[in-house]
């Protein structure tokens, strides 16, 4: 069975600090996708990134960067120079490819609070 | 392009009452999902439709939950009768038709927040 663990329930930082959100996953599939979603107070889930299990290249998008390490089954998310608008709940998720269904398994989320 | 629409946004009912939620996916999206998000947890898939057929309903409590997507477009999720533990946000998402070995991004609606008293 698939499982996603986000051990950090809540993180508080001061604006402009860097922050890393941890994600550890379990799956028996050899082909899978990993995701990060942002859920602001409005409630909608906003897609941030998708990573294929065969692509371990780290990715940077503006202030966001992702570190995928298959050896440790981790897919961590770093926000550089955090801003108040980054305050939200962030979810890591996993989707199997084999067997069909496109089913997303989410972690329990990390509440990020960025204060002035 | 319009996003995924859901209504109502909020609903308060008493236990043992019935409730229904509506979702209109993005135009052209063949796949529709219903997720349940209990406070402090991540969303959990309840049911997935491909057009008007069910792909996965393994986590749907079928004794009280039902869902339909009759014309392959909009969908309704019903709870009858509701229990206290059904208090949650119900999220609808849609994606383009999935092909084998690929993944299509799921676009989420704003959700319906259900409170069962």
């Amino acid at each position: 069975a698939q499982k996603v663990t986000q051990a950090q329930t809540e993180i508080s930082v001061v604006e402009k600090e860097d922050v890393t959100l941890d994600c550890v996953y379990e799956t028996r599939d050899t082909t899978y996708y990993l995701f990060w979603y942002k859920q602001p107070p409005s409630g909608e889930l906003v897609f941030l990134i998708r990573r294929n299990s065969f692509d371990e290249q780290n990715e940077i998008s503006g202030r966001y960067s992702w570190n995928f390490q298959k050896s440790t089954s981790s897919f961590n998310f770093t926000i550089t120079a955090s801003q108040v608008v980054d305050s939200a709940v962030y979810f890591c998720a996993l989707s199997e490819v084999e067997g069909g269904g496109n089913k997303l398994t989410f972690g329990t989320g990390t509440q990020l609070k960025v204060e002035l | 392009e319009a996003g995924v629409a859901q209504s109502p946004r909020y609903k308060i009912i008493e236990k043992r009452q019935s409730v229904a939620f509506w979702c209109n996916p993005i135009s052209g999206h063949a796949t529709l999902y219903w997720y349940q998000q209990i406070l402090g947890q991540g969303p959990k898939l309840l049911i997935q439709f491909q057009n008007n057929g069910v792909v996965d309903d393994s986590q749907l409590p079928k004794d009280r939950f039902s869902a339909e997507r009759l014309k392959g477009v909009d969908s309704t999720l019903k709870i009858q009768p509701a229990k206290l533990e059904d208090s949650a946000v119900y999220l609808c998402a849609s994606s383009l038709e999935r092909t084998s070995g690929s993944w299509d991004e799921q676009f989420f609606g704003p959700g319906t927040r259900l409170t069962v008293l």
Side-chain angles (χ1 to χ4, degrees):
Chain A
Q2 299 181 116
K3 185 179 179 182
V4 176
T5 301
Q6 295 180 256
Q8 303 152 308
T9 305
E10 186 174 315
I11 301 176
S12 289
V13 299
V14 176
E15 201 175 38
K16 295 182 185 162
E17 284 186 2
D18 298 347
V19 58
T20 296
L21 310 181
D22 298 332
C23 173
V24 174
Y25 63 92
E26 296 175 29
T27 180
R28 294 181 180 176
D29 292 348
T30 55
T31 304
Y32 50 90
Y33 290 100
L34 293 164
F35 308 82
W36 277 94
Y37 282 85
K38 175 182 180 179
Q39 189 173 44
S42 60
E44 284 188 47
L45 280 164
V46 177
F47 169 81
L48 296 178
I49 189 171
R50 179 187 79 216
R51 174 62 73 218
N52 183 304
S53 56
F54 294 113
D55 182 3
E56 288 192 68
Q57 264 195 327
N58 291 330
E59 181 158 337
I60 298 174
S61 176
R63 296 184 297 106
Y64 296 169
S65 63
W66 290 270
N67 183 357
F68 176 30
Q69 292 197 349
K70 215 168 176 177
S71 60
T72 56
S73 297
S74 65
F75 186 43
N76 296 336
F77 173 31
T78 297
I79 302 175
T80 303
S82 60
Q83 299 176 2
V84 172
V85 293
D86 295 328
S87 296
V89 181
Y90 290 86
F91 290 97
C92 181
L94 170 70
S95 178
E96 63 185 9
V97 175
E98 298 149 13
N102 242 3
K103 177 180 174 179
L104 282 170
T105 299
F106 286 86
T108 51
T110 297
Q111 171 87 57
L112 174 64
K113 294 183 179 178
V114 182
E115 299 164 336
L116 292 171
Chain B
E1 180 181 299
V4 176
Q6 290 187 248
S7 68
R9 291 296 312 276
Y10 304 92
K11 189 73 177 179
I12 300 174
I13 62 173
E14 297 195 349
K15 60 183 179 184
R16 290 188 288 274
Q17 286 187 323
S18 301
V19 65
F21 313 127
W22 175 82
C23 171
N24 191 23
I26 292 173
S27 178
H29 281 194
T31 308
L32 186 148
Y33 312 79
W34 282 102
Y35 289 86
Q36 179 193 56
Q37 186 178 13
I38 293 172
L39 185 65
Q41 298 182 20
K44 180 184 80 173
L45 179 69
L46 292 176
I47 189 167
Q48 176 186 347
F49 292 96
Q50 181 89 0
N51 296 307
N52 60 351
V54 175
V55 174
D56 184 351
D57 63 357
S58 57
Q59 299 193 88
L60 186 74
K62 298 181 185 63
D63 58 334
R64 298 183 301 106
F65 285 64
S66 64
E68 59 183 14
R69 194 184 183 200
L70 292 176
K71 295 182 180 179
V73 180
D74 56 352
S75 175
T76 55
L77 176 69
K78 297 178 182 177
I79 307 175
Q80 180 180 10
K83 292 185 175 182
L84 296 177
E85 58 261 36
D86 298 332
S87 293
V89 174
Y90 291 85
L91 294 164
C92 180
S94 69
S95 67
L96 288 169
E97 188 165 348
R98 181 183 182 275
T99 57
S100 178
S102 68
W103 195 92
D104 298 310
E105 181 182 342
Q106 294 184 28
F107 294 84
F108 285 81
T112 296
R113 183 177 297 277
L114 173 66
T115 302
V116 182
L117 303 175

